[in-house]
Amino acid sequence: MFKTNLFALLSLLLASIGSANGQTEYTSQTDIAYYSPAQIQDEYQNSQCKLDLYYPTNSKNFKTVVWFHSGGLRGGYKAIPDELKQQGIAVVAVGYRLHPKVQNPTYIEDAAAATAWVFNNIEKFAGLTKQIYLAGHSAGGYLTSMLGLDKTWLAKHKIDANQLAGLFAFSGHAVTHFTVREEQGIADTQLVVDEYAPLFHVRKDAPPLWLVTGDRELEMLGRYEENALLWRIMQVVGHTQTKIFELDGFHHGNMVHPAYSIMLEHLKR
């Protein structure tokens, strides 16, 4: 008990010093379960479905980025990107269940449940519910687009996807994800646009959407081209707030670093 109280006192002291110096101070909370105990069905869900929260402690009404990691829906782990730290925003890194232990649509369901947790809790940390953004790289970009364009996933949590302030999809699939196709016995070179494709859910009233890919000659399996098609069809249906960026000279793995800068520039506007 003494150690806990001493740590809390030290944290408050450091925060007050930072506030007095006009500096924004940050803290983190890790491994927060976003499903209730009654919703946990097995140990894998219990261990995997957690999030980390990084947020300012001496400022209010900040924006929050919900970050979904890459890994093809079959690998990767939650982590707060270093590039998003100390930027005046909160960042939520989401862990979600992965193939082959689960199959579609569990990945999307987990992403929606984590996003719902943020909507239901970020005000407790002084953040704004009307300033919640989704973002992710590769598989995370796919989850970002699916949640933002297909309103059914967040609606299950009584949240309108149009409450999202914006979507930042970095090199995400616009067609049905290759892991989802594999689960159906479809080759990764056979493109599919079904209900699990962001392209299937284009709509005029969606939140602002930023699509960022690497160089079309260096990216994965036509990733730039499918994102360009999503951008074009969003224009056709009248969604004027879809932007697309192709990062010349960057491949799928390293495009995320300049993509962070694009996102932060828009968040600061």
Side-chain angles (χ1 to χ4, degrees):
M1 179 64 72
F2 174 74
K3 291 182 179 179
T4 301
N5 289 339
L6 182 59
F7 177 78
L9 180 61
L10 180 59
S11 298
L12 288 172
L13 178 60
L14 291 174
S16 65
I17 293 174
S19 179
N21 292 334
Q23 299 176 345
T24 303
E25 297 293 327
Y26 299 86
T27 191
S28 297
Q29 295 188 22
T30 60
D31 290 332
I32 301 171
Y34 55 81
Y35 283 113
S36 70
Q39 295 172 311
I40 300 296
Q41 300 178 351
D42 53 42
E43 180 54 35
Y44 182 55
Q45 182 183 11
N46 182 55
S47 62
Q48 194 75 357
C49 295
K50 295 181 177 179
L51 55 84
D52 295 344
L53 170 63
Y54 171 91
Y55 65 98
T57 57
N58 61 340
S59 65
K60 298 180 179 179
N61 300 327
F62 48 78
K63 300 175 181 179
T64 300
V65 172
V66 182
W67 177 255
F68 301 112
H69 65 77
S70 60
L73 300 178
R74 62 184 71 201
Y77 54 90
K78 63 179 171 64
I80 305 294
D82 288 338
E83 290 89 340
L84 301 184
K85 294 180 179 178
Q86 298 184 342
Q87 297 293 335
I89 62 174
V91 185
V92 177
V94 177
Y96 52 92
R97 286 171 286 180
L98 302 168
H99 176 96
K101 291 186 176 181
V102 299
Q103 293 195 348
N104 184 65
T106 302
Y107 328 110
I108 309 172
E109 292 170 343
D110 286 352
T115 301
W117 184 95
V118 177
F119 269 97
N120 293 330
N121 290 277
I122 199 62
E123 286 190 351
K124 299 175 185 177
F125 303 90
L128 285 174
T129 55
K130 65 180 181 180
Q131 287 292 329
I132 296 173
Y133 297 78
L134 302 187
H137 176 222
S138 195
Y142 167 76
L143 294 174
T144 294
S145 297
M146 281 300 299
L147 291 188
L149 296 179
D150 182 357
K151 301 180 73 173
T152 61
W153 302 105
L154 287 175
K156 295 177 181 179
H157 300 271
K158 299 181 180 180
I159 295 170
D160 186 340
N162 287 359
Q163 293 177 250
L164 293 164
L167 313 167
F168 294 91
F170 300 165
S171 288
H173 268 307
V175 299
T176 302
H177 195 279
F178 64 76
T179 294
V180 178
R181 282 180 271 154
E182 178 183 304
E183 292 171 353
Q184 301 175 31
I186 301 172
D188 61 3
T189 53
Q190 181 179 344
L191 301 186
V192 175
V193 178
D194 61 13
E195 62 182 311
Y196 297 110
L199 263 166
F200 189 83
H201 302 282
V202 294
R203 55 191 178 88
K204 180 179 181 179
D205 63 336
L209 172 61
W210 289 266
L211 303 168
V212 189
T213 77
D215 191 313
R216 70 186 72 185
E217 300 301 330
L218 303 175
E219 262 287 3
M220 294 179 64
L221 295 173
R223 194 63 57 89
Y224 166 77
E225 287 79 5
E226 62 185 86
N227 275 270
L229 179 58
L230 176 56
W231 170 80
R232 174 57 67 189
I233 300 303
M234 290 292 278
Q235 302 298 308
V236 170
V237 299
H239 190 274
T240 60
Q241 297 187 78
T242 300
K243 308 294 183 183
I244 188 168
F245 301 84
E246 178 184 10
L247 302 175
D248 290 346
F250 289 89
H251 56 71
H252 185 76
N254 66 7
M255 61 73 60
V256 68
H257 301 293
Y260 287 133
S261 297
I262 292 173
M263 178 168 66
L264 289 170
E265 176 186 349
H266 286 280
L267 288 176
K268 291 175 180 177
R269 289 182 180 178

